[in-house]
Structure formats: structure tokens, C-alpha cells
Amino acid sequence: MQVNENKEFQPLIVAFCCNWCSYAGADLSGTNRLNYPTNVKIIRVPCSCRVNPMFILRAFQRGADGVILCGCHPGDCHYTSGNYFTRRRMTLLFGMLDFLGIERDRTRVEWVSAAEGAKFAATMNEFTEAVKKLGPNRRLEDLRCRKQ
Amino acid sequence: MQEAMIKRAKELLADGTVDRVIGWKKGEFVYDHTPAVFTSAQDIEENFVCDELTSANLSKYLVKETVREGKVLAFLKPCDTYSFNQLVKEHRIDREKVYVIGIPGGPKLDIEKIKAKGITGILSVKNENYTLKIDTLYGASEMPFYEAVSEKCANCKSKKHVVYDELIGEDGDVLDSGRFETVEKLENMTAQERYDFWRSELSKCIRCNACRNVCPACTCEKCVFDNPSSGVENKAAADSFEENMFHIIRAFHVAGRCTDCGECSRVCPQNIPLHLLNRKFIKDINELYGTYQAGENTTDKAPLNDYKMDDCEANVVHERGVE
Ligand code: FES
């Protein structure tokens, strides 16, 4: 009899969610009893544009296998225009990661409103699956941070 | 041209228009001319130099120079005027305190390309009809001029001075160069090939910070990379994260402000083609948000300080990507 059967790779996903929409959306998906993977660790940020490119890299450094950034829909940002800036920034950053050969499927930006609990759960399910397929993040990891 | 520059510098010093001159000074070897500030006519007479090997961009030095009293004369090549403009726009240089003389640009030579031919002990380099006559400790040698032209001059983006108070020589035009070709070539590779390419380049990095220190767009008083508790202030062996992070963030912090002056690659002691990272950002900005040349004027909004309602979504990266 084998003991360690369940060795399937479980990715670690970091999700940056803006306080006003996506975090509430995540909450809603919880109160609606929708399932999304436990791999997803949510970090609440005041606005999607609070996310510095360094945050994304740091997440990868500390062992994340995928990073997703969620914010209000364009036009709905609590601070009027934050997510428009996020959109440009992240487009460039992800383009650069891709340019350096780091799998572009490990990063994503998604707009989730406070009413879209179902979308939140679906997005997370889908994203986790995608990252699972890619396997562990090796190209942008910091060996010193690896858990023994 | 050097004579004309020296003459003009001395005149301006003598009539009190300026009280300092920033230019290039002869170094220990013919090929290491370094940027320098001159305060006397005699000093200029003895040490001032401007030839095919004075490629340093002088704009950044003006940040510190214009904080001081008095006016300074700066000799700027066309590409340097873009950096100058960008710094004026960011209020890092006080335009009133600088007297800009535009001088013709390159093509400048890359000494590394000469050395790569196995030519060592270089005593002098002369350009005669586009053949380089190189005098060395071990005798004379020569090579075609164009084989030694620096990367940035071979892909010159503009011979036009975007700002000046007076000109020595003639003004040129904005050129249509093939400067994005290498970026494109890389983009068309597979992710694995690109990864391998950048690993082999970035792993050479010794974290000397020369690229950051020379960059005319990097003028923050406090820099993220100097933070001793960041855990990334020095090089860690056998770790790809540090190098990736440093180079991504370095390029990102100047995205939309980088004028593509090529100084980062020029000073890199390991010859890493760092300008390709900056060019990738410039290329993406041009393609996604409309053509933008940093430093072209002092009024346009930088692309990362701006947005449009109908900008593309971040997943264009996926759509445009190559597998
Ligand atoms: S507050 Fe949600 S994106 Fe700005």
C-alpha cells in the first residue's frame, strides 16, 4: 500500500485585491458559499494602483507561483482613476517579465466588482488551474526564501 | 571641432556669461576621457578634449551643478539634449543656470570593440577616411571605422538638438533607425530561448550599480537599491532572483522617461546589453499607447503618468506573446 498518493502540485497564488471592489467581491463569493481554491492568499490593498511592481516581484521571491491583481472595473475605481494607471503599469511590467522569459501565465490582472462574487470564484479557479499546469515557479524564485 | 569648442568656452568664461564649463577631460589613457568641470581657461587649454571617444552624456552632472551658484556651460550632443530636456521637465535641472552649446554627435567609438579585435596597449586612435589608425605599444594596427562604432551610435535615433542656446556645427534630423530590431528578434524567440539569453547575460551582473549611477533618468536622492534592509542591496551567488529584480525594477523606474541614450550599456563593465530592457519598454509604449519620445519637449505628459479610458487591457501581453 502506498501512503503518499496525493502528491499533486499545489501552487501558491497571491491575489492583490483592492479594498473597494475585489475584496468585497471575494467576501461575497464567501457569503454565497462559492468555492475557490485555498491556494489563493488574498492581500488587501487600498486600490489596485497601490501595487508597486516590486510587490509582484517580492511575491514571486517569497515563493508565489502566480500573482493576480484584482481591482474595480475601469471607470469604477474608488479613487477615480487608480486602475487606469494600474492597467498601463502592469501591462508594461508583464510584458517585461515575458520578455525575460518568465512565463506570462503566472501573472494576470482582472477587474472584479463588489457584486461579482461568482466572477471572483471563477477567476480564481481558472487562474489556479493555469498556474498548476505551469508547475512551480523556478525562473523568478529566491533560493534563500525557499522553505525547507 | 575641439578647437572651436575650446575657443568658445574660453570666450564665455572670459566675458562672465558662465563661470564653469562642463566637458570631457583627458584621462590616463586616450580612451578614458571622463566628464569634468573646468573653471579656468588654462585648465581648458590643457585638458579639454572632444573626439570620437568622448561619448559620456553630460546631462546628469548638471543636476548637481545647477544646485550651485553661477551659470555653467555644457556641451551637449544631440542625444544628450533629450536627457537634458527630460531633466528640465522633471525639475531636476535649473534651465536658467545652464548655457547649452549643441555640438554634433557621433558616431562615437566603442573601445571595447577595438579591444575585442585583440588590439591592446592602445596609445592613440585616429580616424583617417573611415579607417582607424591605431598606434599601440606593440606597433601600429588598423581597422575599419564602422566596425568600432558604438551600439548607440550605430542605432542613432536623432541628430537633432532639441534644446540649445547656440550651436557649433550643424543641426541634423530625427532619424528612422532600426533600434528596435534586436528587441523584436528576442520577442520572436520562444520563452525558453529568451530566458536562456537573459540568464546568460544577467548572471554576469556584479551589481556594481554603474548603470544606475550613470543613468540620466535615475536621479532620486534615495534609491530603493540602497536600502540595506531590502535584502537585495548586494549580489547573491547562484540566485536568479536578485539580478532579475534589479534589472526589471531599474528599467521599470525609468520607463516612459528613458530617452534611450544608451549610457547603461556603455558603462556596464560586463557588457550586458541593458539598453534592450529599456528599449522593450519604449517599444511597448510606442505600440500600445502611441509613439512617445522622452525628452523631445518639456510639455508632453509621460505615458505612465497618463491614461486613456480605452487603453488595452493587460492581457495584450498574452495576445501578443509568442509561444
Ligand atoms: S479602488 Fe478599486 S481599483 Fe482603485
Side-chain angles (χ1 to χ4, degrees):
Chain A
M1 194 183 120
Q2 270 204 309
V3 191
N4 286 334
E5 278 168 298
N6 196 8
K7 271 246 176 122
E8 198 199 1
F9 164 64
Q10 290 300 331
L12 179 63
I13 310 283
V14 173
F16 291 99
C17 292
C18 95
N19 181 36
W20 302 98
C21 283
S22 313
Y23 195 76
D27 216 12
L28 185 68
S29 80
T31 42
N32 282 348
R33 317 224 162 232
L34 297 167
N35 282 326
Y36 69 87
T38 50
N39 310 49
V40 180
K41 307 285 181 262
I42 297 178
I43 297 180
R44 181 166 64 156
V45 285
C47 172
S48 63
C49 82
R50 172 66 184 91
V51 178
N52 182 325
M54 195 83 122
F55 289 7
I56 309 248
L57 298 184
R58 284 278 190 224
F60 282 121
Q61 176 191 24
R62 309 269 158 98
D65 298 298
V67 179
I68 181 166
L69 174 52
C70 301
C72 314
H73 283 269
D76 289 347
C77 172
H78 188 75
Y79 308 97
T80 320
S81 55
N83 49 10
Y84 288 119
F85 293 105
T86 310
R87 189 159 65 178
R88 283 202 170 186
R89 258 178 235 161
M90 292 306 147
T91 309
L92 291 182
L93 178 70
F94 296 171
M96 178 53 77
L97 290 176
D98 183 39
F99 188 59
L100 292 175
I102 293 147
E103 304 92 332
R104 58 179 171 277
D105 290 324
R106 292 193 191 279
T107 44
R108 190 178 293 189
V109 173
E110 206 68 60
W111 310 125
V112 178
S113 85
E116 293 177 326
K119 180 176 176 186
F120 183 86
T123 308
M124 291 307 160
N125 279 316
E126 199 195 305
F127 187 59
T128 310
E129 268 325 299
V131 175
K132 209 179 251 179
K133 274 203 206 92
L134 286 173
N137 157 35
R138 291 259 178 270
R139 294 187 176 170
L140 200 59
E141 69 167 342
D142 193 335
L143 298 174
R144 291 166 300 179
C145 293
R146 203 187 269 181
K147 288 208 188 67
Q148 297 307 325
Chain B
M1 185 179 60
Q2 185 179 321
E3 287 71 53
M5 289 163 70
I6 291 180
K7 183 165 156 274
R8 197 63 193 121
K10 286 203 286 193
E11 278 169 20
L12 289 168
L13 264 184
D15 70 15
T17 315
V18 297
D19 48 14
R20 275 162 293 142
V21 176
I22 183 158
W24 304 271
K25 184 182 184 162
K26 290 184 192 122
E28 198 177 340
F29 303 103
V30 284
Y31 47 82
D32 56 21
H33 303 319
T34 50
V37 177
F38 301 89
T39 45
S40 72
Q42 194 202 350
D43 196 9
I44 294 179
E45 191 64 53
E46 284 166 11
N47 296 318
F48 189 94
V49 57
C50 179
D51 58 18
E52 279 97 355
L53 287 159
T54 49
S55 32
N57 181 345
L58 300 178
S59 306
K60 189 176 186 180
Y61 302 94
L62 294 167
V63 174
K64 286 246 166 70
E65 281 306 313
T66 55
V67 178
R68 295 170 54 194
E69 273 305 301
K71 203 160 172 169
V72 50
L73 164 63
F75 289 106
L76 299 182
K77 293 178 267 105
C79 51
D80 305 350
T81 60
Y82 284 82
S83 316
F84 180 81
N85 242 357
Q86 184 65 25
L87 287 165
V88 170
K89 179 172 164 182
E90 291 167 6
H91 306 286
R92 302 294 282 138
I93 289 180
D94 186 349
R95 179 69 184 86
E96 304 289 290
K97 284 189 177 170
V98 193
Y99 190 87
V100 179
I101 295 190
I103 56 167
K108 300 286 180 190
L109 300 177
D110 183 351
I111 193 70
E112 297 298 331
K113 290 195 180 173
I114 299 178
K115 286 182 181 166
K117 292 265 173 196
I119 301 173
T120 48
I122 299 167
L123 296 173
S124 75
V125 180
K126 284 225 165 43
N127 171 19
E128 277 171 25
N129 267 330
Y130 296 107
T131 309
L132 287 182
K133 305 273 185 207
I134 304 156
D135 196 17
T136 73
L137 283 174
Y138 315 105
S141 42
E142 52 175 68
M143 69 183 284
F145 181 82
Y146 281 104
E147 281 180 21
V149 167
S150 65
E151 211 291 329
K152 82 169 170 184
C153 290
N155 289 307
C156 180
K157 65 176 180 294
S158 169
K159 292 210 176 291
K160 182 178 147 75
H161 294 83
V162 286
V163 55
Y164 58 84
D165 292 313
E166 79 177 56
L167 278 178
I168 292 182
E170 266 162 43
D171 208 3
D173 291 316
V174 176
L175 306 178
D176 190 16
S177 67
R179 61 187 171 125
F180 295 119
E181 271 164 25
T182 323
V183 177
E184 231 159 77
K185 212 174 86 204
L186 278 164
E187 282 174 345
N188 290 329
M189 290 179 175
T190 64
Q192 184 64 43
E193 282 168 343
R194 276 199 300 270
Y195 182 71
D196 293 341
F197 171 82
W198 283 110
R199 274 315 329 124
S200 71
E201 291 294 347
L202 297 183
S203 58
K204 294 191 289 191
C205 176
I206 54 172
R207 284 302 304 279
C208 65
N209 286 346
C211 48
R212 178 200 65 174
N213 295 349
V214 80
C215 176
C218 282
T219 56
C220 296
E221 306 272 312
K222 276 193 179 159
C223 175
V224 271
F225 299 122
D226 288 336
N227 178 1
S229 56
S230 68
V232 289
E233 82 285 13
N234 46 28
K235 165 107 174 162
D239 198 321
S240 64
F241 177 78
E242 293 244 351
E243 293 140 6
N244 274 325
M245 199 239 22
F246 176 75
H247 291 287
I248 294 170
I249 297 294
R250 185 197 64 79
F252 194 88
H253 281 183
V254 299
R257 308 190 298 119
C258 168
T259 62
D260 200 6
C261 73
E263 287 288 275
C264 41
S265 300
R266 185 181 66 82
V267 297
C268 180
Q270 299 289 73
N271 294 323
I272 303 173
L274 296 167
H275 63 282
L276 293 180
L277 297 175
N278 297 333
R279 275 191 193 157
K280 164 70 178 164
F281 279 134
I282 297 175
K283 183 168 177 283
D284 276 0
I285 289 171
N286 285 349
E287 286 171 2
L288 301 173
Y289 309 123
T291 312
Y292 178 83
Q293 171 61 52
E296 199 172 18
N297 54 46
T298 50
T299 46
D300 283 357
K301 250 187 162 183
L304 281 178
N305 292 347
D306 200 13
Y307 65 87
K308 286 206 192 69
M309 304 277 189
D310 55 356
D311 277 341
C312 54
E313 293 297 336
N315 60 14
V316 285
V317 177
H318 293 253
E319 285 152 19
R320 286 154 37 109
V322 189
E323 220 26 80

